[in-house]
Amino acid sequence: MANPEINLSTATRTNLLSLTRTTDLIARTQERLSTGLKVNSAIDDAIAFFQARSLSDRASDLTLLKSSIDLSINTVEVAAIGIESITGVVEQMKGLALAAKSDANAANRSRAAVQFNDLRDQIDNLSNDASFKGSNLIKGSSPNNLKVTFSEDGSSSLTVSGISSDASGLSVIAAAGNWGTDANIDGAINDLDSALSTLRSTASNLGSNAAVLSLRLDFTKNLINSLSEGSSKLVNADLNEESANLLTLQTRQQLGTIGLSIAQQSEQSILRLF
């Protein structure tokens, strides 16, 4: 036996449809409040969803580059610290040589020459120890070059060239003839003056590169923030607005329920007449 057809009055049907729409809107608003997003999938708004995804993906790629730039700054700074320490040692060696030249005592000059050679060994130690995460821009043999990429496609980058800054790279040789003659000492002083000039040039170059890297790091941070903010504007919900909407919809739902109840009571009253 077929089920009898259920006929609804116009007022009841209108109220039911209104309640259904209101219930759907409440569910959507609650989802926005729980996720913080007004666009949770492409179904909600395909254009906004994929535009936001594109901005977020680029921000993620730049975040990886930002970490690399940040570590590169540390590498350059460690090299600069090494150069500063080596410069201090070379200046100490020059002072030792000048003092030895003013002392005619051969034994004193010989002892000064030994100290000079010991300090020369410290130059090698400092240059080889100035590494960061396996990268050393000033080590004696085959210093590393540092390539830093700024853009996702690799079109923008900076290469910091390594400079050999050990005693051999600076052309600082061991004390000749135990500094028995002024000529031996003068030769050492000339080498040290040349080494100081090279070290100052290297320090300036490293400082310039560190400044460029710092600027690019700040630029990348700001770009990531802008991209993330742009993505958020496309998909994030205004929680204050959604909270107000939820209150309004809940009130509408209550009124709709009351309206449906009144419509049904009216229909029942009419039926009692028969």
Side-chain angles (χ1 to χ4, degrees):
M1 179 176 178
N3 293 327
E5 184 178 352
I6 299 175
N7 293 317
L8 300 175
S9 67
T10 302
T12 299
R13 183 180 294 106
T14 300
N15 277 281
L16 283 173
L17 290 174
S18 178
L19 276 172
T20 300
R21 286 194 296 268
T22 301
T23 300
D24 291 341
L25 290 173
I26 289 176
R28 186 185 71 177
T29 303
Q30 288 175 332
E31 181 185 25
R32 289 180 175 181
L33 287 171
S34 63
T35 63
L37 301 174
K38 64 182 178 183
V39 180
N40 285 282
S41 68
I43 297 175
D44 297 327
D45 186 337
I47 294 176
F49 178 79
F50 287 112
Q51 285 180 340
R53 174 68 62 83
S54 176
L55 293 174
S56 297
D57 288 345
R58 189 180 180 207
S60 297
D61 292 340
L62 288 173
T63 298
L64 295 176
L65 292 176
K66 180 179 74 69
S67 298
S68 176
I69 296 170
D70 210 354
L71 291 175
S72 297
I73 292 174
N74 293 130
T75 302
V76 175
E77 288 177 342
V78 168
I81 292 171
I83 290 295
E84 181 179 357
S85 298
I86 291 171
T87 299
V89 172
V90 172
E91 289 174 345
Q92 186 177 351
M93 294 169 71
K94 183 177 178 180
L96 188 63
L98 291 172
K101 185 178 179 181
S102 64
D103 189 343
N105 186 289
N108 290 339
R109 286 192 172 191
S110 180
R111 283 192 291 270
V114 172
Q115 295 177 32
F116 181 91
N117 291 336
D118 289 340
L119 290 173
R120 182 178 179 274
D121 291 338
Q122 289 305 311
I123 295 177
D124 293 340
N125 293 336
L126 287 168
S127 67
N128 289 323
D129 290 343
S131 62
F132 181 81
K133 291 185 69 66
S135 182
N136 189 328
L137 300 176
I138 63 171
K139 68 180 179 180
S141 58
S142 302
N144 302 125
N145 294 325
L146 179 66
K147 182 176 181 180
V148 189
T149 302
F150 300 135
S151 58
E152 307 96 304
D153 59 1
S155 60
S156 178
S157 63
L158 172 69
T159 299
V160 182
S161 300
I163 302 174
S164 179
S165 300
D166 64 347
S168 177
L170 294 172
S171 298
V172 176
I173 63 174
N178 284 329
W179 283 356
T181 65
D182 287 351
N184 295 145
I185 300 176
D186 287 337
I189 293 173
N190 289 335
D191 289 345
L192 294 171
D193 285 338
S194 178
L196 285 172
S197 178
T198 300
L199 288 167
R200 287 163 185 161
S201 176
T202 301
S204 176
N205 183 55
L206 290 173
S208 176
N209 284 320
V212 171
L213 291 173
S214 294
L215 288 173
R216 288 301 308 217
L217 179 63
D218 291 338
F219 171 78
T220 302
K221 286 179 180 178
N222 292 332
L223 181 54
I224 290 171
N225 290 337
S226 295
L227 291 169
S228 299
E229 183 178 349
S231 176
S232 297
K233 287 179 179 178
L234 289 168
V235 299
N236 281 10
D238 184 331
L239 298 183
N240 291 328
E241 180 182 348
E242 296 301 334
S243 296
N245 287 340
L246 181 60
L247 180 61
T248 300
L249 289 169
Q250 287 173 337
T251 302
R252 184 188 300 175
Q253 186 182 49
Q254 292 172 359
L255 292 174
T257 302
I258 294 172
L260 179 61
S261 177
I262 292 173
Q264 289 176 335
Q265 288 175 5
S266 297
E267 293 172 5
Q268 290 173 359
S269 297
I270 292 172
L271 289 174
R272 291 194 190 101
L273 298 175
F274 298 95

